[in-house]
């Protein structure tokens, strides 16, 4: 009988086991990983049990991964060689792919064209870095260089490392100039030779893939023929064995047995290897050489780690698997049906023969027959933050059970918000500024103008004290404010009356001569009470401005 929800069937033990944390197990299904940046409790039986990490909210729009073809297609009609825009570019049985730092470009080992190619993901423009197009072994610049069925590539900075498979050497290509040199190995050696040592003394059997550490100091080589994982110091080409070809016990470099390893990827201090003959994924710690098994029952071809290292993506004969916490799940395609179709990753999209794969940013880039394809990464949990001029419309939801996920809405006029922060409201516009709807920062009033806090538009800016507007239509636009000295007599200031008229105002304290006249009148009349009134009197200049 099938296992109940929250449990899954373990073939090795022939029993139903409780679904592990970070997964959910629907009735009769194997463990399915929760979305990226989410988790679940042990025994979860439904997608709705996955809860987003702190600072994130469930976003239904980001759940369904999509597959699209960037260039080429399947079948002999698409096999060829052509650089240029993606709609006309042609590849010929490409295999390994690697992303440049920042993910702006992807480098491709175009196997049957014997070339190393690059494509800009934003531009869709393909170009050739190195390779003449005929099989051979020649170092040199760009199209002077020759390769022989290159299968794997890795990128560190502006350096491309190449598994030049049929030449049994590891090459190094400058991404900018195309200058090609040999890092380790020698093609004059008999194929299927094995030797550690200095750069030119090292020998490889069948190097099918390479991976590079983040700093580019270490290059790992998958030598399929000798069932070994080799290590090269990039600075010198010195080659050693990381995991030996003739041992069978896991634990350390001398007791790990591989059977037809096909690919490797590096994340941090860990090397993840597709051990195809054993249907397993292995992990080797670079600093110690200790090795463990990550997952079993995986018939993989190529492998890549997510940017954060939380997941491994593995290509199979017709699909892509996502491996998290030692358990694998279908990510895109169909495990039993091959084909070539774009669409929803697990509901219509098909792959013909996926091989190389690299995770970069929010996408997977992979080679498939004679095509380059892209899969948008599945998330489900978006960051609880909105960009400039936007704020969250409600509380930050945490899982699919919430009816309406939070969303970002523009700040109302008179308010602003700067930066992608978790905020459900915007800040009032400061004095001397104005903030239209959706403002990321306050806009300062121009010239000699100012505005009250919370102002919404430029017309809210008015002349500062001591200035008057030179424009006739006051309030229709930001005024050009002139100093009162150009309009009022010395000692006077401008004042706007309730009817919009501007007048020059002079206080008694600033008119000592006139004040003496008033005092003389007050004394002569004997009107003592008038003294208090006179202290607050002002005199209007007869000139006014409307």
């Amino acid at each position: 009988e099938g296992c109940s929800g929250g449990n899954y069937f373990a073939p090795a033990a022939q029993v139903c086991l409780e679904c592990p944390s970070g997964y959910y197990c629907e009735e009769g299904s194997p463990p399915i990983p929760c979305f990226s940046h989410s988790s679940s409790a042990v025994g979860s039986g439904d997608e709705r049990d996955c809860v987003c990490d702190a600072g994130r909210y469930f976003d239904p729009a980001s759940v369904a991964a999509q597959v699209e073809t960037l260039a080429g297609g399947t079948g002999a009609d698409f096999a060829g060689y052509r650089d240029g825009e993606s709609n006309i570019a042609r590849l010929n049985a490409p295999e390994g792919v690697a992303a440049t730092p920042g993910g702006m470009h992807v480098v491709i080992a175009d196997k049957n064209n014997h070339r190393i190619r690059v494509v800009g993901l934003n531009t869709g423009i393909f170009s050739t870095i190195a390779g003449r197009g005929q099989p051979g072994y020649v170092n040199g610049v760009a199209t002077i260089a020759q390769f022989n069925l290159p299968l794997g590539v890795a990128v560190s900075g502006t350096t491309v490392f190449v598994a030049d498979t049929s030449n049994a050497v590891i090459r190094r290509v400058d991404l900018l100039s195309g200058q090609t040199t040999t890092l380790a190995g020698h093609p004059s050696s008999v194929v299927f030779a094995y030797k550690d040592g200095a750069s030119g003394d090292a020998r490889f059997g069948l190097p099918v893939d390479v991976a590079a550490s983040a700093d580019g100091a270490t290059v790992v080589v998958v030598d399929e023929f000798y069932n070994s994982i080799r290590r090269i110091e990039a600075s010198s080409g010195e080659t050693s064995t990381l995991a030996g070809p003739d041992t069978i016990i896991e634990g350390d470099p001398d007791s790990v047995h591989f059977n037809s390893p096909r690919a490797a990827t590096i994340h941090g201090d860990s090397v993840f290897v597709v051990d195809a003959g054993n249907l397993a994924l292995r992990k080797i710690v670079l600093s110690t050489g200790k090795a463990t098994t990550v997952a079993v029952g995986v018939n993989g071809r190529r492998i890549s780690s997510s940017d954060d290292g939380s997941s491994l993506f593995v290509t199979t004969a017709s699909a892509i698997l996502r491996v998290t916490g030692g358990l694998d799940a279908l990510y895109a395609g169909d495990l039993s049906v091959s084909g070539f179709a774009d669409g929803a990753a697990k509901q219509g999209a098909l792959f013909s023969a996926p091989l190389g794969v690299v995770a970069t940013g929010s996408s997977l880039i992979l080679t498939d027959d004679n095509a380059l394809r892209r899969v948008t990464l599945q998330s489900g949990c978006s960051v609880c933050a909105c960009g400039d001029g936007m704020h969250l419309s409600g509380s930050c939801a945490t899982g699919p059970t919430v009816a309406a996920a939070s969303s970002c809405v523009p700040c109302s006029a008179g308010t602003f918000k700067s930066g992608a922060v978790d905020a459900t409201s915007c800040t009032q516009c400061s004095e001397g500024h104005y903030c239209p709807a959706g403002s990321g920062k306050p806009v300062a009033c121009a010239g000699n103008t100012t505005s009250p806090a919370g102002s919404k538009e430029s017309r809210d800016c008015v002349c500062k004290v001591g200035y008057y507007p030179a424009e006739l239509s006051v309030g229709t636009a930001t005024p050009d404010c002139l100093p009162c000295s150009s309009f009022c007599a010395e000692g006077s200031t401008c004042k706007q009356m309730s009817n919009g008229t501007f007048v020059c105002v002079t206080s008694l304290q600033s008119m000592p001569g006139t004040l003496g006249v008033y005092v003389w009148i007050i004394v002569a009349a004997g009107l003592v009470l008038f003294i208090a009134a006179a202290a607050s009197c002002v005199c209007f200049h007869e000139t006014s401005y409307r």
Side-chain angles (χ1 to χ4, degrees), residues 8-312:
Y8 72 99
F9 181 71
Q14 291 291 301
V15 295
C16 291
L17 299 178
E18 197 170 28
C19 201
S21 62
Y23 292 76
Y24 62 95
C25 299
E26 297 174 339
E27 186 173 351
S29 79
I32 303 170
C34 287
F35 312 119
S36 298
H37 307 294
S38 70
S39 60
S40 65
V42 173
S44 295
D46 193 282
E47 175 185 72
R48 292 173 296 181
D49 295 329
C50 297
V51 177
C52 294
D53 297 341
R56 293 178 179 269
Y57 69 94
F58 180 72
D59 183 2
S62 66
V63 172
Q66 295 289 317
V67 177
E68 62 177 323
T69 299
L70 299 179
T74 184
D77 290 344
F78 286 94
Y81 169 72
R82 187 172 185 178
D83 283 335
E85 296 181 357
S86 58
N87 61 325
I88 62 171
R90 289 294 180 266
L91 302 158
N92 196 348
E95 286 218 14
V97 288
T100 59
M104 296 293 290
H105 297 81
V106 168
V107 176
I108 308 163
D110 195 355
K111 182 182 71 174
N112 286 354
N113 278 323
H114 312 285
R115 290 179 166 101
I116 306 303
R117 313 276 294 279
V118 64
V119 58
L121 294 182
N122 289 341
T123 65
I125 303 297
F126 284 73
S127 57
T128 298
I129 304 173
R132 189 184 302 175
Q134 295 83 34
Y137 176 78
V138 176
N139 284 325
V141 67
T143 55
I144 298 299
Q146 283 185 273
F147 301 87
N148 193 352
L149 300 175
L151 294 185
V153 288
V155 177
S156 177
T158 59
T159 300
V160 180
F161 300 101
V162 182
D164 192 359
T165 305
S166 290
N167 279 325
V169 296
I170 305 304
R171 313 285 287 277
R172 177 163 44 194
V173 181
D174 185 273
L175 187 60
L176 304 179
S177 67
Q179 182 68 41
T180 301
T181 57
T182 298
L183 176 64
H186 197 286
S188 62
S189 63
V190 178
V191 177
F192 307 138
Y194 184 96
K195 183 181 179 181
D196 287 337
S199 173
D201 295 332
R203 296 293 184 267
F204 300 91
L206 196 66
V208 294
D209 197 19
V210 288
S213 60
D215 60 4
T218 302
V219 178
V220 168
V221 180
V222 178
D223 192 341
E224 184 177 15
F225 185 81
Y226 284 106
N227 299 317
S228 63
I229 309 302
R230 315 283 290 278
R231 175 176 182 159
I232 304 175
E233 302 305 319
S235 60
S236 63
E238 183 74 26
T239 302
S240 58
T241 297
L242 186 62
D246 54 3
T247 51
I248 58 175
I249 303 173
E250 270 189 26
D252 57 55
D254 296 324
S255 58
V256 177
H257 173 71
F258 287 93
N259 185 3
S260 297
R262 290 181 182 171
T265 187
I266 297 178
H267 186 274
D269 194 36
S270 298
V271 181
F272 297 96
V273 180
V274 174
D275 191 4
N278 288 320
L279 300 179
L281 300 181
R282 310 272 196 179
K283 183 179 83 170
I284 306 172
V285 180
L286 268 176
S287 58
T288 65
K290 298 296 181 180
T292 55
T293 296
V294 174
V296 295
V298 180
N299 188 8
R301 292 183 166 190
R302 296 272 174 172
I303 187 171
S304 179
S305 170
S306 60
D307 288 347
D308 62 3
S310 63
S311 298
L312 297 171

Side-chain angles (χ1 to χ4, degrees), residues 483-504:
C484 283
S485 59
S486 63
F487 169 60
C488 299
E490 184 177 356
S492 300
T493 57
C494 304
K495 181 177 180 63
Q496 186 177 19
M497 308 304 289
S498 59
N499 62 358
T501 300
F502 279 81
V503 299
C504 292

